[in-house]
Amino acid sequence: MFIARSVWILDDSRVTPAHRKYDGANYYPTSRWVLFGSHFAAIAGSGPLIGPVLAAQFGYAPGLIWLVAGVCLAGAVQDSFWLWASTRRSGRSLADIARTDVSPVAGITAAIAILFITVIAMAGLGLAVVNALAESAWGTFTIAVTIPVAVFMGYYMFQWRKGRVTEATVIGVVITILAVVFGKNIAESAFGHWFLLSRHQLTVVMAIYTVAASILPVWMLLTPRAYLSTFMKIGTIVLLVFGVIIINPTLEAPAFSSYVSGGGPIIPGPLFPFLFITIACGAISGFHAVIASSTTSKMVNKETDIRPIGYGAMLVEGLVGIVAIITAASLHPNDYFAINTSADVFQKLGLATVNLPDLQSQVGEIVQARPGGAVSLAVGMAHIFARLPGMRGLMAYWYHFAIMFEAIFILTTIDSGTRIGRFLVQEFGGRLWTPLGRTDWMPGTFFSTLLVVFGWSYFLWTGNISTIWPMFGVANQLLAVVALAVATTLVINSGKLKYAWVTGLPLCFVATTTLSAGVMNVTDNFWPMAVSPDPSLHVQGYVNSICTSIMLVCAVIILISTAARCLGVVRGRVPRLTMETADA
């Protein structure tokens, strides 16, 4: 309330870009709760689910503390700021605003950083999906059903029966739940092998789907699928919170584990700074600023909707992260490591499984050695749900429901992220060749989408949890550094120096932890791969080292550029740039 009243100063008398630039495809006025669902689904990818689960390696206390503090003081502030700033600036992107409000160099650097970071983020998000759905016909079928259901909902809500959101919601939710229930029958039928896909096959299928989702109008697939998934997400989280309260599971994990100083089998670095890049989106995410300024701002119906959508959605995401870490901590530590490490790594730990054989029997799938966090979270969720009154014997259904819940969570973010990457490629390409910059020119749209999808598919095809997730975490948090740096500049530009601490303090903390983690990632993890005696690691080591270094350099350039701009404004050497002059 304080920020919205004193800094943003929301005003419903202003016409938002959704109305002023309406085109029926990207600029589309959307009701508050539908857009909340779309925005929440887009920002709440694997970060709040997988990050806290992986961070449980350090114990439950560090992650819990950072989730609460980071969400309230940094993440929600950043998200609502960028939704407001972009809405005031005709729905323009973070990079474009950096160009006009900071400097052309900052704009170009921000665009390069966002493109690199978005591609790597998509790989990090997709990793959890392919690891969870690999060789699982039941899970893959359930996810496949949500695609035609979303298309049906899009036509129902926006074409056939405009405004009948409740009707479309009921139909979509019922069909999705039935897909989970009857997924077992499909998996065991003669058609089951169609949905039994390997990790690489899932990567290809996901790439093809994402190309379509990025190109089609937002109302046809992206928005209704995000809206549908939000009901599933929030409904599941509410049920899980209820289950945690009723069951009151014992936290088997210690508050602080023996790996706080480093050397862990999942995340190799020490608690500081690796906890913060591991939790990633659960507390603060630069990717959220990109979503807010690239897609959501183009659909805001009125300015007062920004507070529940921008700030509120991040609070709900923080709740997701808290529940996820409680769920992971409820597993016995031996079983937790058995699921989240490879068979060879687990054997070297010298541990023995405790409850895992029985859990595997109940869920009907082999869950040991399925790293990535998604499977251990699904097992933990299913274990809690199955202990609720009247739910005994249904753990297999709850497990596959949890897998569906996680995959929907993540795929919606990949949809939005790929669309944003396409916008960036077209924005860059349009300066070299004008037709490529036109979002209504299908060949340019298709080419730009393919380029982005190929980028994240490469990392997903070649990487694993130990290489992709640390790089994803650094990429995501570096983007938060960029977003907070430009945000602080905008606050000072607008003559509100006394409120610069609102974004300036989170910037200082996130910049310190992320730059440290990025350097350590290169020196301790990626470069040793590049010079390893094993030739098969060389290419991946070089690519990861170069990409991370480029992102670090871009972030430093942005920090220097924004600091120079802020000093210039404060000392009166550079004129202030208000909302009106910025778009003039």
Side-chain angles (χ1 to χ4, degrees):
M1 179 66 77
F2 160 74
I3 296 173
R5 184 182 62 250
S6 303
V7 187
W8 308 168
I9 312 180
L10 304 178
D11 182 4
D12 281 346
S13 67
R14 288 176 174 265
V15 180
T16 63
H19 293 281
R20 191 170 64 253
K21 303 179 68 174
Y22 173 82
D23 63 5
N26 297 307
Y27 291 87
Y28 199 99
T30 307
S31 68
R32 172 184 296 190
W33 298 117
V34 173
L35 188 55
F36 173 91
S38 176
H39 180 72
F40 176 72
I43 66 171
S46 59
L49 293 172
I50 308 306
V53 171
L54 300 179
Q57 168 190 279
F58 300 116
Y60 65 81
L64 185 61
I65 293 170
W66 173 234
L67 281 166
V68 174
V71 166
C72 297
L73 302 178
V77 172
Q78 175 210 247
D79 291 12
S80 58
F81 175 91
W82 277 105
L83 185 54
W84 164 76
S86 181
T87 301
R88 285 283 179 94
R89 286 165 165 78
S90 301
R92 288 162 51 209
S93 68
L94 190 162
D96 197 34
I97 293 173
R99 177 181 60 82
T100 57
D101 284 47
V102 182
S103 70
V105 172
I108 294 173
T109 305
I112 294 172
I114 292 170
L115 186 57
F116 265 86
I117 290 166
T118 299
V119 168
I120 293 170
M122 295 306 96
L125 297 170
L127 179 69
V129 175
V130 297
N131 281 350
L133 296 182
E135 310 300 338
S136 175
W138 190 345
T140 303
F141 166 77
T142 303
I143 295 301
V145 168
T146 64
I147 299 172
V149 169
V151 173
F152 168 80
M153 288 179 63
Y155 275 97
Y156 197 99
M157 288 190 296
F158 298 112
Q159 300 295 321
W160 300 333
R161 292 175 65 81
K162 289 185 178 181
R164 301 300 180 101
V165 176
T166 304
E167 294 176 9
T169 302
V170 171
I171 295 171
V173 170
V174 169
I175 294 176
T176 303
I177 292 175
L178 289 176
V180 175
V181 173
F182 292 103
K184 180 179 182 181
N185 302 88
I186 296 296
E188 294 174 351
S189 71
F191 306 104
H193 66 280
W194 292 358
F195 301 97
L196 196 64
L197 305 179
S198 68
R199 186 174 177 273
H200 284 165
Q201 287 173 324
L202 282 166
T203 301
V204 173
V205 171
M206 190 162 65
I208 294 171
Y209 158 74
T210 307
V211 169
S214 177
I215 292 174
L216 293 173
V218 289
W219 64 264
M220 189 179 296
L221 179 56
L222 191 148
T223 298
R225 193 174 192 278
Y227 177 66
L228 171 64
S229 67
T230 298
F231 270 89
M232 303 304 294
K233 292 174 183 181
I234 295 178
T236 303
I237 290 301
V238 169
L239 182 61
L240 187 56
V241 169
F242 176 76
V244 167
I245 294 173
I246 297 298
I247 302 302
N248 191 22
T250 302
L251 298 184
E252 301 284 354
F256 296 89
S257 76
S258 59
Y259 297 118
V260 294
S261 300
I266 302 172
I267 304 298
L271 185 150
F272 183 91
F274 279 82
L275 170 75
F276 305 99
I277 65 168
T278 302
I279 295 286
C281 313
I284 180 171
S285 168
F287 182 70
H288 295 186
V290 177
I291 293 287
S293 65
S294 297
T295 58
T296 308
S297 62
K298 295 176 174 65
M299 295 184 281
V300 172
N301 186 44
K302 57 182 180 179
E303 282 201 356
T304 52
D305 291 348
I306 289 173
R307 188 170 64 186
I309 295 169
Y311 201 95
M314 187 61 209
L315 294 182
V316 177
E317 180 163 347
L319 176 63
V320 174
I322 291 171
V323 173
I325 204 166
I326 291 174
T327 303
S330 68
L331 293 173
H332 192 281
N334 291 19
D335 296 334
Y336 167 83
F337 286 116
I339 297 173
N340 286 298
T341 59
S342 66
D344 291 341
V345 171
F346 183 69
Q347 186 176 15
K348 291 177 183 177
L349 292 176
L351 303 176
T353 58
V354 179
N355 303 313
L356 193 57
D358 181 52
L359 292 174
Q360 287 187 146
S361 174
Q362 292 184 56
V363 302
E365 299 217 15
I366 300 298
V367 299
Q368 187 167 351
R370 299 285 289 271
V375 172
S376 59
L377 177 61
V379 170
M381 290 173 62
H383 187 51
I384 290 173
F385 288 148
R387 293 166 63 188
L388 290 172
M391 296 296 173
R392 186 178 300 276
L394 298 177
M395 188 164 172
Y397 290 94
W398 281 119
Y399 171 80
H400 287 91
F401 177 84
I403 289 292
M404 180 271 294
F405 155 78
E406 292 175 32
I408 284 183
F409 228 100
I410 296 164
L411 284 174
T412 309
T413 306
I414 294 176
D415 295 350
S416 300
T418 301
R419 181 178 286 262
I420 289 166
R422 185 251 289 182
F423 287 152
L424 284 170
V425 171
Q426 289 188 277
E427 185 177 310
F428 257 115
R431 296 173 185 174
L432 301 175
W433 188 41
T434 304
L436 188 59
R438 287 171 41 204
T439 56
D440 59 348
W441 188 53
M442 187 54 67
T445 297
F446 187 68
F447 170 77
S448 302
T449 302
L450 283 181
L451 199 62
V452 174
V453 171
F454 175 80
W456 61 253
S457 295
Y458 165 79
F459 287 104
L460 189 54
W461 187 281
T462 60
N464 55 54
I465 190 64
S466 297
T467 59
I468 289 181
W469 197 264
M471 187 163 62
F472 160 70
V474 167
N476 191 57
Q477 300 304 93
L478 280 177
L479 188 49
V481 172
V482 171
L484 288 169
V486 179
T488 303
T489 306
L490 265 63
V491 173
I492 294 174
N493 264 349
S494 63
K496 297 181 178 180
L497 178 61
K498 65 179 180 179
Y499 295 119
W501 60 269
V502 171
T503 53
L505 290 180
L507 167 63
C508 293
F509 183 81
V510 176
T512 300
T513 57
T514 310
L515 290 173
S516 301
V519 171
M520 292 174 67
N521 251 348
V522 174
T523 57
D524 298 345
N525 298 333
F526 299 149
W527 189 249
M529 292 169 59
V531 296
S532 165
D534 185 355
S536 65
L537 298 176
H538 289 178
V539 173
Q540 187 178 5
Y542 279 118
V543 170
N544 290 3
S545 297
I546 292 170
C547 287
T548 304
S549 298
I550 290 174
M551 292 186 295
L552 288 168
V553 170
C554 287
V556 170
I557 291 174
I558 292 291
L559 286 171
I560 294 173
S561 299
T562 52
R565 174 76 191 192
C566 290
L567 285 174
V569 171
V570 171
R571 293 177 178 177
R573 295 198 305 264
V574 178
R576 291 195 298 108
L577 197 60
T578 64
M579 290 297 172
E580 288 72 24
T581 59
D583 271 344

